[in-house]
Amino acid sequence: MKTKEKTEAGPAERTTTVTARPEPEPKAEGKPAAPAVEPAIRITGLRKTYGDVQAVKGIDLDIAPGEVVALLGPNGAGKSTTVDMVLGLSKPTAGGITLFGKDPYIAVREGLASAVLQDGSLIDDLSVRETLGMISSLHKNPMPMDEVLRRANIEDIADRRGTKLSGGQRQRARFACALIGNPQLLILDEPTSAMDVGSRRKFWESMRKFTDTGRTVVFATHYLDEAEEFADRVVLMRSGTIAADGTVAQIRALTAGRMLRASVPDATAKELGTLPGVTGATLRLGQAELHCEDSDKALRALLTKYPDAHDIEISASGLEEAFLSLTAAEEADAA
């Protein structure tokens, strides 16, 4: 049984998650103990430095088999550096990583893990089917070609050369290249960045079917609606550390309250942030977004101090608001 103990936190504070584990049951006479299930990803004390720059600052993270995890964070948070180390493309300065209990290089070589990266490329002179056939020949237990084409939704472009594919089609073809090895862990870096709305929807429909088979998926995305809709769990990175880790509901709860949006002439973000009932404020071109612990009190204070405020809207905080709030400390430190 797991219990979560959270502390309500402002943007610059941390939320502590405590996991309580039950005492193991006495081993039955003559009955062998059930084998422990290795995490799909286990990261312990992971650090990566480039000269004086600390890209990753000692993170710890376990991802269980079958989880769908969204990795979020602003540019420079350490997401891509962490993904590179998880895939064995870069060596940690300190700490360790295992995939299903194995070294990342071995896990990838054995086909347990695969990835779709932003800078991946295709062989231009080969058709998609030929490229997949070549990759398939390198794996011990590849996924059947027809199943890969169907799952990646590329049956209609299977015989096109790489040079004849649009950006969205190339991304779907790269996804197929990751699937052909029949991996248990799939890591996706901005998987739908070049896709239109319809292609994005079809991609995630395919991904649901893939994860329904018990596979593990970790994806980095700038589309927060994708994280909110498809992830079982969200890991938010900030300045090389993990700022928050939990379900979408738990991440949203870290900024419990409401969002007040309004056009506020002649205001500053600093002044708006000091209004009663307001826990954080941003201001862009006169458009204010106020994170509120008491939206009624905040609204009264806003109209008292800024009677010309208009176009006022109050809504429940979502994942985007939580993201902005939890990364606000970094922006304030950099200012």
Side-chain angles (χ1 to χ4, degrees):
M1 178 181 69
K2 292 184 178 180
T3 61
K4 301 288 186 181
E5 175 183 307
K6 301 193 294 293
T7 57
E8 294 298 325
E13 297 176 321
R14 293 292 303 274
T15 295
T16 303
T17 301
V18 178
T19 302
R21 300 186 183 276
E23 292 295 325
E25 295 182 3
K27 182 178 175 181
E29 190 73 26
K31 183 179 180 181
V37 178
E38 291 283 357
I41 300 177
R42 170 158 284 172
I43 298 174
T44 54
L46 187 66
R47 295 180 180 274
K48 183 67 175 180
T49 60
Y50 299 96
D52 295 332
V53 177
Q54 297 184 55
V56 179
K57 303 175 182 177
I59 65 174
D60 298 287
L61 181 67
D62 275 10
I63 295 176
E67 279 194 295
V68 180
V69 179
L71 185 62
L72 305 180
N75 291 334
K79 304 187 304 297
S80 295
T81 302
T82 300
V83 166
D84 284 349
M85 289 188 285
V86 166
L87 292 170
L89 300 175
S90 176
K91 290 186 177 297
T93 303
I97 304 171
T98 59
L99 308 183
F100 302 102
K102 300 173 183 278
D103 178 89
Y105 175 79
I106 294 174
V108 172
R109 188 182 65 187
E110 293 181 354
L112 287 172
S114 190
V116 180
L117 304 178
Q118 286 195 73
D119 56 357
S121 60
L122 300 171
I123 301 175
D124 288 340
D125 292 333
L126 296 183
S127 70
V128 174
R129 190 188 302 275
E130 290 169 338
T131 299
L132 291 173
M134 182 182 66
I135 297 173
S136 176
S137 68
L138 302 175
H139 291 279
K140 295 179 181 178
N141 183 34
M143 188 178 292
M145 177 73 72
D146 289 344
E147 183 177 352
V148 171
L149 297 176
R150 178 175 52 79
R151 285 185 180 276
N153 192 33
I154 58 169
E155 293 164 299
D156 58 330
I157 60 170
D159 295 314
R160 291 189 194 177
R161 295 180 182 271
T163 53
K164 300 297 183 180
L165 301 178
S166 68
Q169 289 170 339
R170 293 178 72 87
Q171 190 73 338
R172 284 187 282 144
R174 285 195 288 265
F175 174 49
C177 291
L179 287 183
I180 195 72
N182 206 14
Q184 294 300 309
L185 167 64
L186 190 58
I187 297 177
L188 311 169
D189 190 6
E190 301 292 341
T192 61
S193 59
M195 297 182 187
D196 57 28
V197 174
S199 296
R200 284 175 60 194
R201 184 181 300 111
K202 289 180 180 178
F203 172 85
W204 286 110
E205 287 174 358
S206 299
M207 193 57 58
R208 279 199 189 97
K209 294 176 182 177
F210 179 76
T211 57
D212 283 346
T213 63
R215 317 296 177 100
T216 308
V217 172
V218 177
F219 67 97
T221 182
H222 281 92
Y223 296 114
L224 297 185
D225 59 319
E226 290 184 347
E228 194 155 14
E229 184 171 357
F230 299 106
D232 302 321
R233 177 179 169 194
V234 171
V235 175
L236 176 62
M237 292 190 68
R238 182 184 65 206
S239 299
T241 64
I242 293 178
D245 179 0
T247 65
V248 171
Q250 288 169 341
I251 300 300
R252 290 174 63 179
L254 300 184
T255 53
R258 291 182 175 274
M259 174 68 69
L260 189 159
R261 295 180 176 86
S263 296
V264 189
D266 303 321
T268 67
K270 184 176 180 180
E271 292 170 344
L272 292 169
T274 62
L275 293 176
V278 175
T279 58
T282 59
L283 185 67
R284 296 181 180 86
L285 301 177
Q287 300 297 312
E289 292 188 348
L290 310 181
H291 300 273
C292 305
E293 60 182 5
D294 187 331
S295 57
D296 292 337
K297 183 185 292 185
L299 179 59
R300 287 194 295 269
L302 176 70
L303 292 175
T304 298
K305 188 167 185 177
Y306 303 99
D308 292 335
H310 58 280
D311 295 335
I312 297 170
E313 176 186 346
I314 298 176
S315 60
S317 293
L319 184 59
E320 183 173 359
E321 286 75 27
F323 176 88
L324 293 171
S325 177
L326 291 166
T327 57
E330 179 183 17
E331 294 177 357
D333 292 342

